[in-house]
Amino acid sequence: MKKETLRKVLAVVMTSAVAAGLTACGNGNSSTSTAAGTSSASSAAASSASSGASGSSAASSSVSGTSGSSKSGSAEGLSIGATYYTLQTEFCMRMDDAAKKWAKENGVNYTSYDGNNDAASQLEQVETMIADGVDAIILNPQDADACSACVDAAVEAGIPIVGVNTMVNNENLTAYVGSQDVSAGEEIMNYMIDYMDSEEFNIVVIEGPMGQSAQLQRIEGITNVLKDYPNIKIIAQNTANWSRSEAMTLMETWITTYGDEIDAVVSENDEMALGAREAIEAAGMDIPCIGIDGITDAVTAVSNGKMIASDFQNAEGQITGALETAVKCVNGEDFEKEVWIPFEMITPDNYADYQNKY
């Protein structure tokens, strides 16, 4: 289908029709970082965009794309803004770094913001982007419901808004690019069952931020599998907000409470799985852990046996798809309202294929 948007050129307001809203959603953390930069995603953890204060609308750095060939031949000179639910985790930094690289190669002026895990901050950032006259907005929302206002603001301004990685509950989202989180939850739970070679054991589940689409869908996938295994029990579950340090503290509490009753750890992302593993090792225990994302440390942990597996999520594929979709929307070209990037399980047999992924 085709969409047209309103674009501001200097002081003249040009009007065009905006097509009816499309079903899709995007959720993410935002922080401020402006660039069509050149840093690679592999260096994200060490040199990510500096974080802004919650609610801040000032970009931390800026670079304009000046050269490169656009796949559509029509991205040159466009201005695209992005708000991420956070830029303090490796996965989101990978997306931002990949976006900077793409923008530089395609001559796009790209500005990104760190939402600091706060939906209100993301709304302020969207409003800033609108005031700055961007051509399109990329939304990686913190909360599926609270970030709906971001979509409303963009639609009212006639600016296409493309969700990426996490979903938002608003039928007017222009398009969505991400991966099937329900399937990821199913995949890690099934892998753990195969690893344990048993249909009767106890697990603890570490969840992402409550209310975020990835948290909701990954726990849905986990519980979908467990319906067929009534003797596999969840003896504890709680959020660690995608944080390694929070997960370590949470796991320490569970070890104190449940001790040897815990047979396995199922984590909704790698950062939390790694934090849990630190607590396990500090307690002199050896409990199998599995996570999602395929971040650098997780690949290493799979290689040395500290994690049994990680379900790789393609950050570069997701953000590149979102940017390409945004360009199509701005130019009134045909585009898919939903684009799905598959997960890939990283195991002891194939981890080497992912060691130089970023």
Side-chain angles (χ1 to χ4, degrees):
M1 65 179 290
K2 294 187 176 180
K3 275 187 170 292
E4 296 181 352
T5 66
L6 299 181
R7 297 173 52 193
K8 293 182 179 179
V9 179
L10 301 177
V12 182
V13 178
M14 303 175 63
T15 59
S16 61
V18 180
L22 295 168
T23 302
C25 35
N27 188 335
N29 302 335
S30 62
S31 84
T32 304
S33 145
T34 304
T38 59
S39 58
S40 68
S42 61
S43 63
S47 59
S48 64
S50 60
S51 62
S54 178
S56 170
S57 61
S60 63
S61 63
S62 40
V63 179
S64 296
T66 58
S67 64
S69 59
S70 166
K71 290 183 178 180
S72 65
S74 54
E76 184 79 30
L78 294 183
S79 176
I80 299 177
T83 172
Y84 297 92
Y85 66 82
T86 185
L87 284 175
Q88 307 310 309
T89 64
E90 182 179 333
F91 183 82
C92 290
M93 289 187 284
R94 282 182 174 183
M95 284 198 292
D96 191 39
D97 280 349
K100 291 173 184 177
K101 179 181 177 182
W102 182 93
K104 183 176 180 65
E105 291 173 348
N106 288 278
V108 169
N109 297 315
Y110 168 77
T111 303
S112 61
Y113 298 84
D114 184 339
N116 292 297
N117 297 294
D118 181 69
S121 294
Q122 288 200 277
L123 178 57
E124 289 182 18
Q125 291 159 3
V126 167
E127 290 170 343
T128 295
M129 287 184 266
I130 292 169
D132 288 344
V134 298
D135 296 297
I137 294 170
I138 305 298
L139 175 64
N140 173 222
Q142 161 62 18
D143 186 278
D145 292 318
C147 287
S148 178
C150 296
V151 178
D152 292 337
V155 170
E156 184 176 353
I159 297 173
I161 181 166
V162 178
V164 66
N165 180 246
T166 48
M167 295 184 172
V168 61
N169 293 328
N170 192 313
E171 64 180 7
N172 292 319
L173 189 74
T174 307
Y176 179 73
V177 181
S179 299
Q180 298 277 11
D181 284 306
V182 174
S183 69
E186 292 171 345
E187 288 166 9
I188 62 172
M189 192 64 246
N190 277 319
Y191 193 96
M192 181 61 78
I193 292 170
D194 289 343
Y195 176 86
M196 297 294 289
D197 194 23
S198 172
E199 297 184 5
E200 184 174 357
F201 56 92
N202 297 327
I203 65 171
V204 293
V205 178
I206 309 179
E207 299 192 68
M210 305 307 287
Q212 192 178 96
S213 69
Q215 174 267 319
L216 294 169
Q217 294 179 10
R218 290 175 188 179
I219 193 63
E220 179 183 346
I222 291 166
T223 55
N224 282 349
V225 172
L226 292 180
K227 290 174 184 176
D228 295 328
Y229 296 91
N231 293 321
I232 299 176
K233 306 293 186 184
I234 298 177
I235 60 173
Q237 67 184 96
N238 206 339
T239 182
N241 296 303
W242 303 140
S243 166
R244 192 177 304 196
S245 61
E246 287 188 40
M248 182 173 66
T249 300
L250 180 62
M251 193 68 204
E252 289 170 345
T253 299
W254 284 344
I255 289 172
T256 299
T257 303
Y258 301 102
D260 292 337
E261 294 179 49
I262 305 171
D263 297 313
V265 176
V266 177
S267 173
E268 291 181 358
N269 87 337
D270 287 338
E271 293 282 2
M272 299 187 299
L274 291 163
R277 185 66 192 185
E278 288 182 31
I280 290 166
E281 291 179 350
M285 304 174 74
D286 187 12
I287 302 172
C289 300
I290 193 169
I292 295 171
D293 281 342
I295 65 173
T296 303
D297 286 351
V299 177
T300 299
V302 173
S303 74
N304 61 28
K306 293 187 176 183
M307 285 176 59
I308 65 169
S310 173
D311 213 4
F312 174 74
Q313 185 175 201
N314 192 331
E316 183 175 6
Q318 289 185 15
I319 192 63
T320 299
L323 289 162
E324 291 175 349
T325 297
V327 170
K328 291 177 182 178
C329 294
V330 171
N331 292 321
E333 301 170 12
D334 290 340
F335 64 94
E336 297 291 332
K337 69 177 183 178
E338 293 181 339
V339 178
W340 300 108
I341 311 296
F343 282 94
E344 306 166 31
M345 191 66 75
I346 303 172
T347 72
D349 294 328
N350 69 1
Y351 69 83
D353 296 337
Y354 295 86
Q355 287 181 315
N356 298 315
K357 203 79 171 179
Y358 290 95

